[in-house]
């Protein structure tokens, strides 16, 4: 075999190759949040997915070393807020190590609660208020499985993440 296909079949699965290939996948951007006692925890994630309609389940992968994982286990709940294209500052804030933990809340990022008491980012494109259904090991991450207690959709366009940068949808349609 020759050409690009031959190169693909001989490429080694290294961390560098994995990261480079992953940058080709465009995802939405969300913030996972929880409250344990008086502390609020938040982390920007791009590894969120709906899982099931019966029961209503979602998943999100968080670094297993993140204090958010232990807090979600202790609280038994978490929230997911899908960010709009106008919320890149929120995404950057909670992507910064150590910036997603506060006593009493985050004064610069308005949040509210729905059913479970888990914090949700105000003005999000969509949100899911979840009870912790379970956790799964995922290599260097822990996969939180949430049973959705409430969810809703707001207005706007999604914030996207592609090739290591935040992006927005091009308003020009491909096929008019």
């Amino acid at each position: 075999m020759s050409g690009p296909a031959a190169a693909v079949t001989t490429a080694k699965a290294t961390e560098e190759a994995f990261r480079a290939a992953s940058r080709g996948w465009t995802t939405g951007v969300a913030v996972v949040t929880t409250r344990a006692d008086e502390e609020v925890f938040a982390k920007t994630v791009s590894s969120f997915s709906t899982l099931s309609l019966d029961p209503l389940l979602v998943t999100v992968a968080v670094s297993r070393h993140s204090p958010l994982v232990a807090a979600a286990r202790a609280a038994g709940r978490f929230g997911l807020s899908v960010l709009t294209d106008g919320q890149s500052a929120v995404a950057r804030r909670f992507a910064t190590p150590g910036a997603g933990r506060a006593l009493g809340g985050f004064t610069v990022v308005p949040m509210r609660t729905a059913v479970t008491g888990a914090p949700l980012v105000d003005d999000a494109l969509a949100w899911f208020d979840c009870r912790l259904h379970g956790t799964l090991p995922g290599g260097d991450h822990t996969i939180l499985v949430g049973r959705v207690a409430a969810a809703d959709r707001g207005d706007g366009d999604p914030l996207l993440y592609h090739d290591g940068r935040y992006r927005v949808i091009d308003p020009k349609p491909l096929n008019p």
Side-chain angles (χ1 to χ4, degrees):
M1 198 187 293
S2 65
V8 170
T9 59
T10 60
K12 289 188 175 187
T14 64
E15 184 176 329
E16 183 179 317
F18 179 83
R19 286 179 184 263
S22 296
R23 286 187 184 116
W25 176 248
T26 303
T27 69
V29 181
V31 172
V32 60
T33 50
T34 194
R35 176 184 300 273
D37 298 320
E38 293 302 311
E39 283 190 288
V40 176
F41 299 79
K43 186 71 183 155
T44 300
V45 295
S46 58
S47 55
F48 150 69
S49 180
T50 59
L51 179 64
S52 171
L53 288 174
D54 187 18
L56 299 174
L57 298 175
V58 295
T59 64
V60 61
V62 180
S63 171
R64 71 175 183 223
H65 301 295
S66 173
L68 188 142
V69 172
R73 283 182 173 137
R77 64 186 178 210
F78 65 91
L80 280 162
S81 302
V82 179
L83 301 183
T84 69
D85 58 4
Q87 294 178 306
S88 62
V90 173
R92 282 187 193 87
R93 175 173 176 82
F94 296 132
T96 305
R101 185 174 186 174
L103 191 59
F106 299 99
T107 58
V108 297
V109 178
M111 295 193 188
R112 60 186 174 76
T113 61
V115 175
T116 71
L120 298 161
V121 175
D122 277 356
D123 301 320
L125 178 62
W127 56 266
F128 302 84
D129 184 15
C130 304
R131 289 186 176 84
L132 186 64
H133 185 72
T135 61
L136 300 167
D140 57 2
H141 281 64
T142 296
I143 300 164
L144 304 177
V145 180
R147 188 169 190 141
V148 179
D152 204 358
R153 165 93 191 252
D155 294 322
D157 288 321
L159 179 63
L160 304 176
Y161 192 73
H162 175 80
D163 202 19
R165 294 177 36 204
Y166 295 114
R167 313 278 182 145
V168 296
I169 292 177
D170 185 343
K172 297 178 292 191
L174 292 176
N175 298 316

